[in-house]
Amino acid sequence: MKVLGLETSCDETGLAIFDSEQINSSNHGLLGQVLYSQIELHALYGGVVPELASRDHIRKLVPLFHELLEQCNISKDEIDAIAYTKGPGLIGALMTGALFGRSLAYGLDIPAIGIHHMEGHLLAPLMGVNPPAFPFVSLLVSGGHTLLIAARGVGKYEILGESIDDAAGECFDKAAKMLGLAYPGGPNIAKLAETGDADAYSLPRPMLHRGLDFSFSGMKTAVHNLIKDTPGSGVGSASDPQVRADIAASFQHAVVDTLVKKCVKALKQADMSRLVIAGGVSANSHLRTTLETELAKINATVHYAPPALCTDNGAMIAYAGYQRLQAGQADDLAVSCVPRWPMTELPAL
Ligand code: KG4
Ligand code: ZN
């Protein structure tokens, strides 16, 4: 089954075609994928402007679709089904992909299905050869969510813990901004941290001993104070590259340490031995290597997708769509997007 996936929930226009007959290929079953980021468009305003995001998705969807067909070397008639992001996200942005996908499916007389963006992230590490089997604990760490989930099957999700304030990715983005680094902050902090000493400064690990929920707003304040009180941390002429790298490394370590400790706790609580990490922050190599070391100590394993499938993309939507479509699920002709959508409301397969 060839499924076209469309992702337009925020500031990336992502399209991909997943072919279930190619699942054992080195390319994770992907015939091709295209991604257009609106980062530059929103950089002028210091954050994503919803109306501009919607207009830009509309501008890009059709040309990107043609580019994708060319890349995959197939005609649109060879597509068997279409999956689009139905929520959560910006309502206008969601509607562009949903209307495009639903209309195209109607025109081609094929099924269409609306997908939960975070389920797309959660299932992305299962694409390809030797996927981790259910059940597993999933750590979903993106710009908008920090969730620990006991996943017992597609659609069988129990929330074990979540952030009570900022998401982990948001915390990376805000710390990066304080250091004068560009959005998205995560990869830029990670790069700066490469030459830094993670033990140079001590930052808090909020709520470490309180259940499986997270809180990152205190960490943000602590970084703000550290930068304010540390000479050389700014970007001006008095800037000290080593001080800045040390701050980035100490911050990254504090976030990673918090995430890792909660993952270990969640695995023990759920009595599971597999951890699957997903979402933009799961591309972080310090998080990956620390999890590998710490989980080996408790005989557990960590699984993740290649970096390009961790951040927003159309492939994860195509793959999640395939899982649900092959189980007989599909949406009717009505298009309804859901800007706020708890994952626990998803139907199980
Ligand atoms: O999943 P995603 O692409 O979009 C959302 O659904 O939010 O996640 C984006 C987030 C941003 O906050 C970005 O800074 C963070 O993921 N991120 C990273 C890395 N790559 C992306 N954070 C830490 N290290 C990275 N390498
Ligand atoms: Zn995302």
Side-chain angles (χ1 to χ4, degrees):
M1 187 195 287
K2 288 185 185 62
V3 183
L4 167 69
L6 304 166
E7 157 58 33
T8 64
S9 66
C10 190
D11 58 350
E12 322 267 0
T13 321
L15 291 83
I17 295 178
F18 171 80
D19 183 356
S20 56
E21 283 172 23
Q22 312 278 328
I23 188 80
N24 290 325
S25 75
S26 58
N27 204 22
H28 308 271
L30 289 174
L31 287 190
Q33 64 167 324
V34 289
L35 186 73
Y36 174 78
S37 171
Q38 303 178 348
I39 285 175
E40 277 176 30
L41 172 73
H42 301 292
L44 278 171
Y45 306 92
V48 178
V49 184
E51 179 61 21
L52 293 184
S54 314
R55 290 180 192 204
D56 211 52
H57 286 308
I58 290 172
R59 193 170 68 84
K60 296 301 289 185
L61 271 164
V62 174
L64 282 173
F65 176 55
H66 288 298
E67 191 184 321
L68 177 67
L69 289 178
E70 211 165 291
Q71 191 191 111
C72 298
N73 200 20
I74 63 168
S75 81
K76 58 183 184 308
D77 303 318
E78 290 174 72
I79 299 169
D80 298 305
I82 297 178
Y84 56 84
T85 306
K86 179 172 168 163
L90 303 169
I91 185 66
L94 289 165
M95 286 304 281
T96 64
L99 286 169
F100 175 76
R102 182 59 268 184
S103 313
L104 183 60
Y106 181 71
L108 295 172
D109 196 19
I110 56 175
I113 188 161
I115 291 298
H116 192 293
H117 178 85
M118 297 312 291
E119 178 171 73
H121 278 303
L122 189 149
L123 297 177
L126 275 58
M127 291 174 78
V129 254
N130 297 326
F134 288 105
F136 53 74
V137 169
S138 173
L139 171 72
L140 291 180
V141 267
S142 70
H145 295 81
T146 309
L147 288 164
L148 268 169
I149 289 173
R152 297 188 170 84
V154 176
K156 292 182 189 152
Y157 309 130
E158 181 197 346
I159 311 280
L160 302 173
E162 60 192 315
S163 177
I164 59 165
D165 41 55
D166 293 356
E170 193 180 351
C171 187
F172 265 98
D173 295 336
K174 286 180 177 164
K177 199 169 180 183
M178 292 177 211
L179 281 164
L181 301 170
Y183 178 87
N188 290 323
I189 292 252
K191 188 149 191 4
L192 184 58
E194 278 170 16
T195 50
D197 173 6
D199 296 319
Y201 302 101
S202 141
L203 286 161
R205 271 71 165 154
M207 300 196 24
L208 211 52
H209 304 291
R210 272 201 272 151
L212 292 172
D213 284 339
F214 302 88
S215 165
F216 288 107
S217 74
M219 186 99 80
K220 195 178 60 188
T221 312
V223 178
H224 174 81
N225 291 336
L226 177 62
I227 292 173
K228 187 164 59 72
D229 298 340
T230 311
S233 63
V235 278
S237 52
S239 169
D240 182 333
Q242 191 57 51
V243 167
R244 290 170 54 75
D246 288 348
I247 291 177
S250 301
F251 162 77
Q252 175 176 256
H253 187 55
V255 176
V256 165
D257 192 34
T258 307
L259 293 173
V260 170
K261 291 210 162 81
K262 297 271 178 177
C263 286
V264 168
K265 212 184 223 183
L267 284 164
K268 288 182 179 164
Q269 185 178 309
D271 194 21
M272 291 181 188
S273 60
R274 282 178 295 275
L275 176 77
V276 176
I277 58 171
V281 182
S282 72
N284 187 278
S285 56
H286 184 55
L287 174 65
R288 292 172 172 212
T289 51
T290 312
L291 278 170
E292 263 149 24
T293 311
E294 293 306 311
L295 296 201
K297 293 179 189 165
I298 56 162
N299 287 324
T301 49
V302 58
H303 308 262
Y304 40 75
L309 295 181
C310 291
T311 44
D312 288 352
N313 63 81
M316 66 184 197
I317 303 303
Y319 180 68
Y322 161 70
Q323 292 287 340
R324 292 192 167 278
L325 288 155
Q326 59 135 20
Q329 295 182 6
D331 286 352
D332 59 22
L333 285 178
V335 174
S336 60
C337 291
V338 194
R340 286 173 182 272
W341 190 7
M343 284 184 82
T344 44
E345 285 178 8
L346 292 173
L349 290 199

